[in-house]
Amino acid sequence: MKKIKFYIILVLMLSMTACNKDFLDLKPLDAISEADVWQDLNLIELYVNDRYDELPHGFCKWAGGLRMTGITDESYHMHEARFLDKYTQGGLTSGSLNMYYFNGFWLDAYTAIRNDNIFLEKISSYQGGEQERIKQLTAEIRFLRAYFYTELISRYGGVPLIKKTFDLDSNFNVPRASFNECVQFIVDELDQAIEDLPNRDEAVGEDFGRITKGAAIGLKIRALMFDASPLFNKTNDQTRWQKVSQACEELFNLNQYSLSNDYPGLFLNPMDSGVIFFKQFLGQYGFELVDVLSDYYYHYRGGQSIDEWRFPNGDGGWISENPRQEFVDQYETTSGEIPVLGYTGSPNNLTPIINPKATNYNPSNPYQNRDPRLRYSVLYDGTTFKDRDLEFWDGGKDSRNTNVDFWWNGSMLGYGIRKSLDESWSLNAGVSSHQPWIYMRLAEFYLTYAEAQYHLNNFPMAVEYVNKVRSRGSVNMPPIDASGNLLEKIKHERKIELAFEGNRWYDARRWLDAEADFAKDIIAVQVKKDANTGAKSYRYYYFEGGTGKRSFPTSHYLWPIPIEEILKSNLEQNPGYN
């Protein structure tokens, strides 16, 4: 009986096959074939949109991505110290334990590059018209591939240039290209992309937030700036600075951007006139911690919860990143003078060395008469936040006094990061946040242009562009001049203007300043309030809670290539890592 049924079924199948030769060549109903993707413009756009999600950002809950402030002289990351001290105390090796929070980027970057290469290889098969849209999407992919290579070379120096996907017969031992070869590849890619990308004023509606000409030129400037800086420009070749200057002028000549007059507000507003490239978090909630068993490194996925992470403990936050006292001291007085030049005395009770030129600085009210960007960027005792004065004084609502709610999340250094916080957020609304991460804004490139002009001996132009940044509305700081050490003035302005935005780690390294600046030990402040008079006093001291000591060996200017990559290939390791 079973045999009869089998033969009947077989005959039916053969007869149907005779009528339809494609009977057994059916597409799966629950999946989309690869061939279909590259013939459907909607699916192609979805593929490109997924590549945007691969971009790291500076709101990562941990130290992956771009949030590098905790490994610089800007701040101390009290919830990551046990991991970050491998870097801040000079202990990096190429092993996964010491690089857990860092070397996951290598795999993430090359995974993204592979996905970009797939697009560039497959897109030529598309036959559906809409060629202008295809050109734009292709340009976006070229930007994204160039972005990851720029981030790779800024960390590792020259890296393997993987320009196509591998198959089983490919040679996987691709050597490291030179740093200059990588820069040239990035510039060539971006120049090609710029032609087919829209301007800012054209990226509207559903295209709002997509990559524009300005973003591509900005990325080119960054790559050229690394190439021109002392870390990679050992002979001080001025032609490299000339390229930086020309690229900046290319950006300015678009006439698409202007300096923002709303310094605190621009970080919440992707439509601000000074914003060039940003990441949106639409429909993304929280974050996801991913451990990839193949490499044992940290990988970041998902949205962001920076408000919970940076709000003061008095408002239910973790205030994880604590600005260092020495960095707070760098904010000038409103007369344009750095108020504190250093410290002397007992490590537990330091005496500030007051700058005699800072005549409007009051040690008894140290946050008065300061550069407005201090108030916009840093949470400190007495500043107004969410319609109340913060209480970092011992026993105050935002202190680490054990009688205070959530005291264990109180700042260890007496400060928190305010920049980018959305004060309308509350813990009751959930931990997710939705403000954009600003990758690029015009002020950065004004200061880059000033730096290039300095190296090209055009001091008046350098001064002019620094002062454009300092004089704009909501900042209104007095102008600098070319007297004294002009390069240090440019560096200082960049340090303050771009504080806590991820730039400092890149800048101090490319200037070869990190071995001095990042090796300084941490200073904290304790604020005390007299219960009777309300008068406050300030004790400054070296913070040595296990991770307060800092060091920066020259090997740390570059990261070690992951040991797994070294063992499975012929890649040459960076100097200082065995």
Side-chain angles (χ1 to χ4, degrees), residues 145-183:
R145 184 167 68 168
Y147 176 92
F148 280 102
Y149 274 120
T150 302
E151 289 295 321
L152 282 168
I153 65 172
S154 71
R155 289 162 168 79
Y156 302 100
V159 296
L161 282 175
I162 310 298
K163 305 176 185 178
K164 60 181 181 180
T165 57
F166 290 138
D167 55 35
L168 293 178
D169 297 324
S170 297
N171 177 10
F172 293 91
N173 281 322
V174 180
R176 297 177 67 173
S178 71
F179 181 84
N180 298 114
E181 289 172 334
C182 292
V183 170

Side-chain angles (χ1 to χ4, degrees), residues 51 54-56 64-65 96 99-117 148-149 151-152 155-156 159-160 162 166 290-301 559-566 568 571:
R51 306 288 72 77
E54 292 169 336
L55 282 169
S96 59
M99 290 297 290
Y100 172 70
Y101 273 158
F102 301 105
N103 265 345
F105 180 79
W106 177 281
L107 179 62
D108 291 342
Y110 276 109
T111 299
I113 288 168
R114 178 182 183 275
N115 291 333
D116 295 334
N117 286 339
F148 280 102
Y149 274 120
E151 289 295 321
L152 282 168
R155 289 162 168 79
Y156 302 100
V159 296
I162 310 298
F166 290 138
V290 179
D291 279 312
V292 178
L293 295 180
S294 62
D295 65 9
Y296 303 102
Y297 294 122
Y298 167 89
H299 299 270
Y300 182 88
R301 302 289 187 272
W559 279 357
I561 292 175
I563 187 63
E564 295 82 3
E565 297 297 318
I566 298 295
K568 71 183 182 183
L571 290 181

Side-chain angles (χ1 to χ4, degrees), residues 41 107 126 142 148 247 257 259 309 342 375 386 465 478 480:
L41 183 58
L107 179 62
Y126 177 70
R142 291 195 182 279
F148 280 102
Y257 310 96
L259 284 176
W309 202 242
R375 183 173 72 255
K386 287 185 73 70
Y465 272 79
I480 68 164

